[in-house]
Amino acid sequence: RREDRGGNDTIMATKSSGLSTLQKRIVIGAFLGTFFVNVGRRDLNSVLSSFLEDLNLQKTQYGILGSCLSASFALSKLFGGVIADTYATPIVMIRVALLIAGLASVLFSMTSSFYLFTLYWTLNGIAQGISWIPVAKLLGRYFHESERATYWAIASSAQTLGGASIAIIGGWSASIYGWRDTMLSCGIIIVLSAFMVNYLWKETDSIEKSGFESPQKSKLEEEGSDSRTHVAPVNTVQLVFSNPNSWLLAIAAFSLYIVRTTILDWVVLILIEEKGQDTVAASSCIFWFEISGFIGGFVSSVLSDRVWLGNRIPILMYFSVGCVLTSVAFWMSSSTSYLANVGLLSLLGFFVYCPQTLIGVAATEIVDKTATGTILGLVGAFSGTGAVFAGVPVGWIREFYGWNSVYICIISFSTVMTVMFIIVHSSVFQQQKRRGD
């Protein structure tokens, strides 16, 4: 019996060690996949001047390309989430996303037809929309809720780093080699990255068959039912759409992306026209907004893991209140001081990027793990719609009602986001109380 017990202990130790190794591979693959897919999203921006000048295109035509990408991004989020829960495994989805994003850049570099530009950039939007879903599913499946947000923040930081890297390298490359060679090179590298992530994640499809267990049990398992005895498939769409908290978080995401995208798209002009800043100073304020947001996302993620022990909603509430108060302070401030404006925008970025980082984590944790892709799709679709609203509609509001209306828009949607988090927090608290009773 002692020998048997020792053998079992050895097996358990091997399994534990294997899972730890797999977790590292998942995080590295998530970071690399997110990094390179965002290179594909931003590579056109980095060569934009050369692209428009070479083909004699108007900025409005570039705007059409951006709108096509945003629209296909939002739609693919929704449908991609459902597909991820019912048909495709994470490794298949990330492979498809990277291959499409890479091929879109390659094909884009080889044509001069605006119609083909539109087609390829729409395909790129589809790739961007489905790329985060497999990352989120694996992080949710193989990391405990007390550590999940920290690794989620590490993976999502690749979005910022990927965009920043291609902005610098792509601009330099375009000035020397031209926009076509730059986008062609980016596309080839992105395609190759699909094989790299495939290698890192190759064990995930068969991991449960090998005897490993996910740290995250589904709600069905937690309630005492054996998932292996469930032969009837779970209707993930019904599971998500019938949950009021899903819609509340989706509305919060819609509001969040209006706030974030409005700041990124319009604050430079606000700083120049309203706050007395020159172009360089105004642009640097956005840089510090992003850097502070990067820090805020990490800080909030670690706090939600270590202090709130995996409960995301309280810190989402507190940071969204901070977003409202800082937005009001930015509106009320009449200072033309660079330090005052960069300080307020840095603080605003710190508060905005908490929900930016954690809202997806919170969404996956309010439903059964079998429906994480579907709820990420729903929240992502609302996010994309919010980003679209922050473009032309906010521009129209500014044109007819002035900059004060843009301030009010930011404050109003920050408030809506806060109210949504408060309602979700109350709902989750009542559910936990009923389980305790």
Side-chain angles (χ1 to χ4, degrees):
R1 288 186 180 179
R2 288 180 180 176
E3 291 177 359
D4 292 342
R5 183 175 178 179
N8 289 335
D9 288 344
T10 301
I11 293 172
M12 292 303 295
T14 304
K15 290 181 179 180
S16 177
S17 174
L19 184 59
S20 178
T21 301
L22 178 67
Q23 287 175 317
K24 293 175 184 176
R25 293 167 70 99
I26 288 173
V27 172
I28 295 171
F31 184 91
L32 292 175
T34 304
F35 181 94
F36 285 110
V37 83
N38 274 273
V39 168
R41 185 174 187 174
R42 301 296 181 188
D43 56 359
L44 178 59
N45 299 64
S46 70
V47 301
L48 184 59
S49 179
S50 301
F51 169 68
L52 295 177
E53 183 179 346
D54 181 45
L55 298 175
N56 197 28
L57 296 175
Q58 303 298 315
K59 291 183 176 63
T60 52
Q61 291 175 293
Y62 168 69
I64 291 172
L65 294 178
S67 297
C68 289
L69 185 143
S70 296
S72 59
F73 174 89
L75 288 173
S76 66
K77 276 280 189 182
L78 180 59
F79 294 110
V82 176
I83 291 171
D85 284 337
T86 53
Y87 300 109
T89 58
I91 192 172
V92 170
M93 288 200 73
I94 193 66
R95 195 165 55 209
V96 169
L98 287 166
L99 288 174
I100 292 177
L103 289 174
S105 290
V106 169
L107 294 172
F108 197 99
S109 70
M110 295 179 175
T111 186
S112 297
S113 167
F114 182 73
Y115 296 106
L116 289 178
F117 286 148
T118 303
L119 172 62
Y120 297 147
W121 226 233
T122 300
L123 291 174
N124 191 17
I126 293 173
Q128 302 299 325
I130 65 174
S131 63
W132 179 253
I133 295 170
V135 172
K137 284 186 73 70
L138 286 186
L139 292 177
R141 185 176 299 167
Y142 291 104
F143 290 87
H144 193 270
E145 63 180 13
S146 63
E147 61 182 358
R148 187 177 304 138
T150 301
Y151 293 105
W152 193 290
I154 291 172
S156 65
S157 69
Q159 297 178 4
T160 303
L161 295 175
S165 298
I166 189 59
I168 297 171
I169 298 173
W172 168 81
S173 176
S175 66
I176 298 176
Y177 303 106
W179 72 269
R180 291 187 186 275
D181 287 346
T182 299
M183 290 197 67
L184 176 64
S185 301
C186 287
I188 293 172
I189 292 171
I190 295 166
V191 169
L192 292 175
S193 74
F195 297 96
M196 188 163 30
V197 176
N198 184 78
Y199 171 75
L200 290 166
W201 284 7
K202 64 183 179 180
E203 297 178 46
T204 58
D205 278 342
S206 59
I207 196 67
E208 291 182 3
K209 297 178 183 178
S210 302
F212 294 92
E213 295 181 359
S214 167
Q216 179 193 5
K217 291 182 179 293
S218 74
K219 292 184 178 179
L220 294 174
E221 293 168 330
E222 288 176 351
E223 291 170 1
S225 56
D226 188 345
S227 61
R228 289 170 296 185
T229 64
H230 280 269
V231 292
V234 177
N235 187 334
T236 58
V237 174
Q238 182 179 1
L239 198 64
V240 169
F241 285 22
S242 63
N243 186 342
N245 289 336
S246 301
W247 295 101
L248 293 170
L249 286 181
I251 295 170
F254 173 79
S255 304
L256 166 66
Y257 271 75
I258 290 177
V259 171
R260 176 177 175 267
T261 310
T262 298
I263 293 170
L264 291 174
D265 287 355
W266 297 104
V267 160
V268 169
L269 289 178
I270 290 177
L271 290 167
I272 294 172
E273 297 181 13
E274 293 282 299
K275 307 287 187 179
Q277 305 299 308
D278 59 32
T279 303
V280 174
S283 298
S284 69
C285 286
I286 292 297
F287 170 79
W288 288 111
F289 172 85
E290 293 274 23
I291 293 298
S292 298
F294 182 79
I295 297 170
F298 264 109
V299 169
S300 59
S301 298
V302 173
L303 287 176
S304 73
D305 282 342
R306 305 286 176 84
V307 178
W308 278 278
L309 304 178
N311 190 356
R312 321 297 170 192
I313 304 301
I315 198 166
L316 285 170
M317 283 194 310
Y318 299 141
F319 271 64
S320 58
V321 169
C323 182
V324 174
L325 296 177
T326 310
S327 299
V328 172
F330 184 62
W331 180 30
M332 299 301 293
S333 172
S334 58
S335 175
T336 58
S337 164
Y338 172 76
L339 290 178
N341 285 292
V342 78
L344 284 171
L345 277 174
S346 296
L347 195 58
L348 188 55
F350 183 83
F351 287 124
V352 165
Y353 274 77
C354 165
Q356 163 77 16
T357 304
L358 289 181
I359 194 168
V361 189
T364 61
E365 292 173 348
I366 65 168
V367 296
D368 187 85
K369 71 177 182 182
T370 58
T372 55
T374 302
I375 193 168
L376 285 171
L378 177 66
V379 171
F382 272 70
S383 301
T385 306
V388 172
F389 181 86
V392 175
V394 170
W396 177 82
I397 291 170
R398 186 209 66 82
E399 182 177 349
F400 284 94
Y401 300 103
W403 285 118
N404 278 341
S405 64
V406 177
Y407 287 118
I408 292 171
C409 182
I410 293 172
I411 294 166
S412 299
F413 282 102
S414 297
T415 304
V416 171
M417 175 176 64
T418 304
V419 172
M420 295 300 105
F421 289 142
I422 291 172
I423 297 173
V424 173
H425 181 264
S426 176
S427 173
V428 171
F429 178 78
Q430 291 299 325
Q431 290 173 5
Q432 292 173 342
K433 187 177 179 180
R434 284 195 295 270
R435 288 196 194 106
D437 294 340

